[in-house]
């Protein structure tokens, strides 16, 4: 067996072409250019790179972006004020607050201050709740991108045992909820989980989201599994060790070029969708007024 490569880079590229056409159509029909506001607090180089990649992706599909850089000393109140301004800015249809923020900031309060209709990164408690209930909401961008990737490659999820390693609010938890909504049987593992290897060995689908290089060992993973690795670390390794996997699993995401491009693609897709919905609701208002 040679594993099917779940090529997020190629899929994101082709979806960007479709998005570019959709953005143009939206504007040709009188819509304003969709604008994503990105907020970076502090000067962490990795976070700055991630934000720049999102800004670049907006430009590639013809969307606008507004980059807001705040000093590392920013307080929760100052960040809340900025988010409030963006919530009330009619030109902005999506808000991304780059995670993590400096530790003096109440990140949860700031995420939850993002207006639900502009929560294109799927970070609010309300958005998570709606998504988990199967109601309309923008799902968290990384797991939403993973779901798009799995769907594109016709990976069967219904009835399969998915083991998600990691339970963060932006990745592990929403990933588990999305897989559950797709009728997978889901096990969530975290740092207190006992017998990690034995649980991973049961998985038809393994999602690695632990934030530690190659913590998940190749030998734990059964033959024929689908392997999704959200991690990316120095040296080009992910959260899952890949030694020998290509020859015996059914499918796997490359690192890099798997999950990362799909995260950005989910974010910009959500931003266009938000623009379309906001345009619709302002058109509805003008009919009513
Ligand atoms: P995070 O907030 O640090 O969460 C890590 C999770 O892993 C936690 O739930 C933690 O458990 C669990 N964990 C840590 N050590 C473990 C261990 N020894 N055994 C089992 N579970 C363990 O990280 P995150 O933000 O979710 O990110 C996870 C990974 O995805 C990272 O590699 C990150 O770089 C990557 N990521 C990629 C993208 C992308 O676009 N490609 C986006 C976001 C994140 P506890 O809850 O018990 O602490």
């Amino acid at each position: 067996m040679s594993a099917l490569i779940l090529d997020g880079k190629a899929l994101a590229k082709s979806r960007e072409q479709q998005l570019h056409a959709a953005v143009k159509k939206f504007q040709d029909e009188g819509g304003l250019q969709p604008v994503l506001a990105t907020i970076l607090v502090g000067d962490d180089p990795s976070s700055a790179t991630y934000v720049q990649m999102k800004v670049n992706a907006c430009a590639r599909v013809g969307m606008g972006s507004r980059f807001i850089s705040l000093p590392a000393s920013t307080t929760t109140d100052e960040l809340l004020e900025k988010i409030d301004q963006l919530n009330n800015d009619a030109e902005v249809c999506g808000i991304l607050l780059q995670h993590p923020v400096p530790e003096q900031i109440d990140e949860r309060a700031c995420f939850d201050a993002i207006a639900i209709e502009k929560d294109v990164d799927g970070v609010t408690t309300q958005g998570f709740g709606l998504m988990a209930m199967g109601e309309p909401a923008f799902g968290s961008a990384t797991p939403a991108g993973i779901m798009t990737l799995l769907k594109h490659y016709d990976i069967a999820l219904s009835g399969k045992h998915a083991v998600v390693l990691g339970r963060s609010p932006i990745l592990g938890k929403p990933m588990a909820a999305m897989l559950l909504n797709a009728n997978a049987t889901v096990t969530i593992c975290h740092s207190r989980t006992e017998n990690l290897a034995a649980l991973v060995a049961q998985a038809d689908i393994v999602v690695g989201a632990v934030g530690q290089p190659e913590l998940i060992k190749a030998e734990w993973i059964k033959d024929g599994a689908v392997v999704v690795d959200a991690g990316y670390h120095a040296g080009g390794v992910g959260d899952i060790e890949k030694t020998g996997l290509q020859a015996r699993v059914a499918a796997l995401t490359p690192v890099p070029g798997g999950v990362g491009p799909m995260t950005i693609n989910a974010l910009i897709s959500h931003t266009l969708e938000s623009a379309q919905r906001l345009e619709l609701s302002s058109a509805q208002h003008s009919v009513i007024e």
Side-chain angles (χ1 to χ4, degrees):
M1 180 188 292
S2 181
L4 174 68
I5 301 300
L6 306 176
D7 189 342
K9 190 175 173 188
L11 179 58
K13 194 172 174 192
S14 77
R15 284 174 60 87
E16 279 191 5
Q17 286 167 359
Q18 293 163 10
L19 272 170
H20 191 276
V23 169
K24 184 174 180 311
K25 181 168 182 280
F26 179 71
Q27 290 183 261
D28 286 349
E29 290 172 355
L32 292 177
Q33 185 188 39
V35 173
L36 173 70
T38 58
I39 310 174
L40 175 65
V41 188
D43 46 18
D44 175 67
S46 303
S47 292
T49 303
Y50 292 140
V51 170
Q52 189 58 51
M53 288 164 80
K54 292 162 187 173
V55 167
N56 293 347
C58 286
R60 285 196 299 273
V61 300
M63 295 195 317
S65 55
R66 179 111 45 96
F67 174 55
I68 293 122
S69 175
L70 298 174
S73 58
T74 301
T75 63
T76 299
D77 283 346
E78 287 165 344
L79 183 51
L80 287 171
E81 193 183 326
K82 177 51 72 182
I83 291 168
D84 189 50
Q85 282 170 17
L86 295 170
N87 283 339
N88 290 302
D89 186 329
E91 285 180 10
V92 169
C93 57
I95 301 172
L96 168 104
L97 171 59
Q98 184 64 39
H99 161 86
V101 294
E103 61 181 17
Q104 79 276 8
I105 293 178
D106 183 342
E107 184 178 77
R108 177 49 39 208
C110 293
F111 276 157
D112 282 342
I114 296 172
I116 182 76
E117 66 275 14
K118 298 189 181 187
D119 179 22
V120 291
D121 202 26
V123 294
T124 61
T125 303
Q126 189 186 0
F128 175 86
L130 288 167
M131 178 278 295
M133 290 297 162
E135 297 294 330
F138 299 118
S140 181
T142 302
I146 291 172
M147 293 301 284
T148 302
L149 188 62
L150 295 175
K151 188 169 180 208
H152 175 79
Y153 283 99
D154 282 329
I155 302 294
L157 300 176
S158 182
K160 302 295 181 191
H161 186 187
V163 175
V164 178
L165 294 101
R167 58 172 167 180
S168 74
I170 59 154
L171 217 174
K173 276 184 191 155
M175 183 81 259
M178 288 179 200
L179 289 164
L180 184 62
N181 286 347
N183 297 318
T185 300
V186 182
T187 298
I188 308 173
C189 302
H190 47 79
S191 65
R192 315 287 169 86
T193 298
E194 295 178 1
N195 301 324
L196 207 54
L199 289 165
V200 173
Q202 295 173 22
D204 301 310
I205 298 144
V206 182
V207 181
V210 290
Q212 296 190 37
E214 299 191 333
L215 181 127
I216 301 152
K217 301 301 171 200
E219 65 181 18
W220 300 352
I221 296 171
K222 74 177 181 188
D223 291 357
V226 173
V227 178
V228 177
D229 192 343
Y232 178 59
H233 306 277
V237 299
D239 289 357
I240 303 178
E241 183 195 36
K242 303 294 185 322
T243 313
L245 280 187
Q246 176 136 8
R248 62 181 189 83
V249 298
L252 66 92
T253 57
V255 175
V259 172
M262 292 308 296
T263 297
I264 295 177
N265 195 261
L267 177 75
I268 57 175
S269 301
H270 291 170
T271 304
L272 173 60
E273 211 180 307
S274 170
Q276 290 164 333
R277 285 189 194 171
L278 289 169
E279 187 74 13
L280 196 66
S281 71
S282 70
Q284 280 165 348
H285 281 303
S286 60
V287 170
I288 293 164
E289 279 158 9

